[in-house]
Amino acid sequence: MREPGANGRFGEFGGRFVPESLIPACAEVEEAFRDAWADAGFRRDLDRLLTVYAGRPTPVTPAWRLSAELGVDVLLKREDLAHTGSHKINNVLGQALLAVRMGRTRLIAETGAGQHGVATATAAALLGLSATVFMGGKDMARQALNVHRMRLLGAEVVEVTSGSRTLKDATSEAMRHWVTCVDEAYYCIGSVMGPHPYPWMVREFQRVIGAEARAQCAAELPKAVPDYVVACVGGGSNAAGTFAGFADTGAQLVGVEAAGGAAISNGGVAIMHGHRSYAIQDADGQILEAESIAAGLDYPGIGPEHAHLHELGRARYVTVTDGEVVDAVKRLARSEGILPALESAHAVAWVLRAAGTAELPAGSTVLITLSGRGDKDSNSLMEIQ
Ligand SMILES: Cc1ncc(COP(=O)(O)O)c(C=O)c1O
């Protein structure tokens, strides 16, 4: 997985489809990121924070009992053990350091499940910045714990009441707000989406997941590389970071979307939130509302590099239903003592369904990125018990 080409494109996807007033802001972020990424000092500062603050490297844990039950060897990359409880902290520490380097005093962000919002509020507190987080009203209700965490950390949480009151609307509102304050605020996007350079930059900040997992699998597995690498996909940042570590191997890359927001499996090409990619839409090309039990996957689109990997045939995108996801949470909790986030449970659910079939033959080795922990979802799960 390489740098995007001309105009920030991965094949025909990506780009920079934003209002005229945001073009210089995106160009400034791109220049600052290129400069920082080439600077050994910036890399050292970020690596140090990832180690001494975020708790990296996260382990790879063999799922011993589940493997025996399924007849495939399952390894779990434990992003649930990173500080704040998900992979979102990796990206946010990188972007927050960049914001400071650019002289910004304020972070703005969108959030769905609240994990990106919590990570942003955390990094802002750590680095002495202020933070404003846009969140859909429906997500604020189902992820109330994370709203509380963000406020305790000192962030302002702005309720978005338009549309489906989920991540799509929060993103639109955050972008609208950015137009009004580009000079003082840095827009910290939470996934591999948005205008160039965000999809590329966020993948680079999440590459640490795949790089660590590659070395850890080499130590753990007789064949060094797993046969399958599986991750859930909302915008697709945990999947992109994981895939980046294995794209040059023979591993099959599998991205798991929510059935009710399956941009690749059920969608078509569209322009949304500053880039060209896949999104679910009606016959007139209007973007449809996604519907998923997992707030972080309740998004009608997908990041442009995933659209490109799909078209190249390098990665496969599949879907699972909410029912399968709830079963997967319970199964992993009871067989391994690990309560995954509803988002992460999508990846587990596909492995549960496919293990022992032609899709995932018995005897295969499978790495699943567990993008986050399930504490935040206790309320949602209690409601459906
Ligand atoms: C735990 C967890 N996993 C996955 C996601 C989906 O994001 P992405 O596809 O960018 O990894 C989220 C989003 O909030 C999340 O909180």
Side-chain angles (χ1 to χ4, degrees):
M1 290 163 73
R2 304 201 189 100
E3 198 177 309
N7 303 325
R9 300 289 184 113
F10 299 97
E12 59 167 305
F13 304 105
R16 191 176 276 165
F17 296 89
V18 288
E20 199 65 41
S21 53
L22 285 182
I23 298 280
C26 293
E28 195 187 354
V29 172
E30 179 184 354
E31 197 187 320
F33 173 65
R34 283 187 188 281
D35 186 62
W37 215 221
D39 175 356
F42 179 86
R43 297 270 194 136
R44 238 189 343 265
D45 290 349
L46 178 56
D47 283 350
R48 182 156 168 75
L49 280 187
L50 288 171
T51 307
V52 302
Y53 187 73
R56 304 206 70 84
T58 58
V60 158
T61 306
W64 288 284
R65 298 209 312 133
L66 195 64
S67 299
E69 288 163 20
L70 295 178
V72 296
D73 278 330
V74 178
L75 298 172
L76 303 170
K77 178 61 174 162
R78 302 290 307 280
E79 293 304 294
D80 58 315
L81 295 180
H83 180 48
T84 68
S86 84
H87 67 297
K88 297 285 182 186
I89 193 74
N90 307 325
N91 165 46
V92 168
L93 287 175
Q95 289 200 54
L97 281 181
L98 191 65
V100 171
R101 192 178 166 103
M102 292 171 72
R104 298 299 195 269
T105 52
R106 184 166 161 241
L107 301 180
I108 57 180
E110 79 297 327
T111 196
Q115 290 301 101
H116 174 60
V118 168
T120 302
T122 300
L126 176 72
L127 299 177
L129 305 168
S130 65
T132 306
V133 181
F134 293 85
M135 189 170 191
K138 179 177 169 189
D139 291 338
M140 284 182 73
R142 60 181 164 169
Q143 301 289 345
L145 178 63
N146 275 343
V147 175
H148 185 59
R149 289 170 79 196
M150 284 184 262
R151 288 181 172 150
L152 279 177
L153 288 158
E156 179 195 11
V157 183
V158 178
E159 179 176 0
V160 176
T161 53
S162 54
S164 56
R165 300 183 302 124
T166 60
L167 180 56
K168 168 173 158 284
D169 314 292
T171 307
S172 303
E173 205 50 48
M175 282 196 159
R176 264 195 289 277
H177 181 67
W178 193 30
V179 176
T180 68
C181 56
V182 271
D183 291 333
E184 115 248 2
Y186 176 92
Y187 183 15
C188 181
I189 297 188
S191 191
V192 283
M193 57 188 201
H196 177 61
Y198 284 95
W200 166 50
M201 174 170 69
V202 175
R203 181 249 284 167
E204 288 302 284
F205 286 141
Q206 292 294 3
R207 181 185 282 275
V208 64
I209 304 174
E212 280 176 14
R214 175 85 173 262
Q216 291 163 322
C217 286
E220 193 73 37
L221 297 172
K223 281 194 296 179
V225 171
D227 300 311
Y228 292 80
V229 173
V230 187
C232 68
V233 176
S237 66
N238 87 95
T242 308
F243 291 175
F246 295 92
D248 64 338
T249 72
Q252 291 203 38
L253 310 178
V254 182
V256 187
E257 298 187 278
I264 287 196
S265 304
N266 297 333
V269 176
I271 289 172
M272 184 177 66
H273 292 153
H275 65 262
R276 185 167 194 268
S277 187
Y278 277 69
I280 50 173
Q281 38 195 304
D282 66 16
D284 298 325
Q286 294 293 327
I287 305 296
L288 290 171
E289 290 183 359
E291 191 58 59
S292 168
I293 191 173
L297 305 192
D298 205 346
Y299 183 67
I302 189 170
E305 193 170 18
H306 287 292
H308 184 51
L309 291 174
H310 162 68
E311 292 226 334
L312 290 176
R314 178 62 192 95
R316 191 149 63 97
Y317 295 85
V318 296
T319 65
V320 296
T321 63
D322 285 353
E324 291 180 289
V325 167
V326 173
D327 289 346
V329 169
K330 292 181 185 163
R331 185 90 180 260
L332 197 70
R334 287 168 197 182
S335 75
E336 307 301 324
I338 297 172
L339 194 59
L342 285 168
E343 290 80 12
S344 320
H346 282 66
V348 178
W350 179 77
V351 170
L352 293 180
R353 187 214 293 158
T357 72
E359 277 199 287
L360 178 54
S364 306
T365 49
V366 187
L367 175 78
I368 302 175
T369 294
L370 223 53
S371 53
R373 62 171 188 241
D375 312 37
K376 70 181 177 59
D377 299 317
S378 302
N379 282 348
S380 303
L381 287 167
M382 272 191 274
E383 272 168 27
I384 52 173
Q385 285 285 315

